[in-house]
Amino acid sequence: MNPGEHLPGPLVPPHWLGERLGAAGPVVLDASVGARRTAARRIPGALRFDIDGPLSDPDAPLPHTMPDAARFTEEVRKLGLDDSGTVVVYDAAGIYSAARAWWMLRASGFDRVAVLDGGLPAWAAAGLPVEDAAPAAAAPVRGGFTARPRDGWFVGSGAVAQALADPGAVVLDARTRGRFAGTEPEPRSGLRGGHMPGAANLPFGELLDGAGRMRPVAELRALFAPLAGEGDKRLVFSCGSGVTACVLALGAELAGYGDLAVYDGSWSDWGRPSDLPVARGRAESPAELADRHVPVVAQPRPEGDAERP
């Protein structure tokens, strides 16, 4: 791909990438997590964007923490990316952890990145080629990428507490409705059940259609509007560990929202035993959210709570 070629948007369909795959095409990154990370299948030439490993802060007490600019720069350079390059990122689940990689690059000042709609399953279903090989950890040639962190794109619990008390902001939680209500157990031990008082619940799976692709823009707007209004509020996204919160960020951008942030620690941070308040039960209605002013005070923590670029 010519570095100057324009991406059609933050989401690209399989055929778009298929027509451009090859030495002159975009850098293709596999951002799969968990068991899917070790699967020995990939889009030809794909490289590993490993948010379970090097592309997470090794010193953080929480999972999937955004690394500092120096580490992120070094790891992305190993993938052969230059500042003028173009990236398409996917995962083996469909649209799941790829959105996290998209947001990390965007938060680092790099806008020439898109998510493959439907991920590897949609790619394979379209009859496009798949290699029986795990994505490589590094490119043959190092790139010249430099992270330029954008302030406020990743936030900590202090900023989330402020958003919860601000009528001009909405905190949206991407976890399932049962986890949000506290009626389903958290998958990580030691976390309290429930949600942040004043947060709204929009499970990330509701943004996807039956094939694991992002819903049409009109449907996304219909999902966001009752909770987030028409675009004049700051939206802060949370989930379990900062991964599927980025699916909401992707959906919100597609729906036309512009003032967005991701709570990096998400419930892995807020849900730890602390003085941070937790509510249980149903989510507030849009009318209740519009009227609420929640006086949440975030208690300082010795580690894992700094706002990260």
Side-chain angles (χ1 to χ4, degrees):
M1 173 183 287
N2 185 320
E5 186 169 346
H6 182 64
L7 284 167
L11 197 66
V12 298
H15 68 80
W16 186 93
L17 177 59
E19 292 169 355
R20 293 160 175 81
L21 196 65
V27 176
V28 180
L29 301 178
D30 182 332
S32 301
V33 295
R36 294 179 182 271
R37 183 176 66 91
T38 59
R41 298 180 76 229
R42 66 172 180 176
I43 293 175
L47 299 167
R48 174 77 67 200
F49 190 96
D50 192 356
I51 63 175
D52 281 333
L55 282 154
S56 183
D57 184 348
D59 299 320
L62 303 172
H64 305 133
T65 301
M66 181 70 184
D68 63 27
R71 182 180 179 88
F72 193 71
T73 293
E74 171 62 18
E75 294 301 326
V76 173
R77 285 182 177 180
K78 292 177 183 177
L79 299 174
L81 183 60
D82 292 316
D83 290 332
S84 61
T86 304
V87 173
V88 174
V89 62
Y90 74 92
D91 64 66
I95 296 181
Y96 184 72
S97 50
R100 171 73 181 190
W102 169 79
W103 188 257
M104 291 170 73
L105 286 163
R106 295 286 312 285
S108 299
F110 185 84
D111 289 327
R112 303 182 58 80
V113 55
V115 172
L116 180 65
D117 196 10
L120 187 62
W123 175 271
L128 294 164
V130 176
E131 290 183 343
D132 290 328
V141 179
R142 285 172 59 89
F145 170 87
T146 299
R148 299 174 176 86
R150 286 169 163 153
D151 185 48
W153 283 52
F154 277 114
V155 297
S157 62
V160 176
Q162 292 175 6
L164 289 166
D166 181 0
V170 175
V171 177
L172 292 176
D173 190 323
R175 292 176 301 152
T176 64
R177 297 198 182 279
R179 289 174 65 190
F180 183 89
T183 58
E184 293 176 5
E186 284 296 311
R188 296 176 179 86
S189 63
L191 298 182
R192 298 172 290 169
H195 60 271
M196 307 163 202
N201 190 204
L202 181 55
F204 82 95
E206 296 185 10
L207 274 60
L208 309 179
D209 66 14
R213 303 187 187 192
M214 193 68 74
R215 292 186 180 276
V217 169
E219 294 182 19
L220 293 174
R221 288 173 178 161
L223 288 169
F224 278 100
L227 302 173
E230 298 301 323
D232 59 341
K233 294 184 178 182
R234 177 165 173 79
L235 305 185
V236 180
F237 305 109
S238 181
C239 60
S241 65
V243 174
T244 58
C246 300
V247 177
L248 294 193
L250 175 61
E253 180 158 317
L254 289 165
Y257 293 88
D259 190 0
L260 313 176
V262 168
Y263 179 12
D264 202 13
S266 285
W267 200 252
S268 294
D269 181 38
W270 194 282
R272 292 186 292 170
S274 77
D275 292 332
L276 291 173
V278 171
R280 297 173 68 92
R282 68 172 183 86
E284 293 87 343
S285 69
E288 289 169 328
L289 287 169
D291 293 336
R292 62 74 176 128
H293 291 267
V294 183
V296 180
V297 178
Q299 300 299 316
R301 289 181 171 166
E303 59 179 357
D305 191 42
E307 294 189 16
R308 297 176 183 273

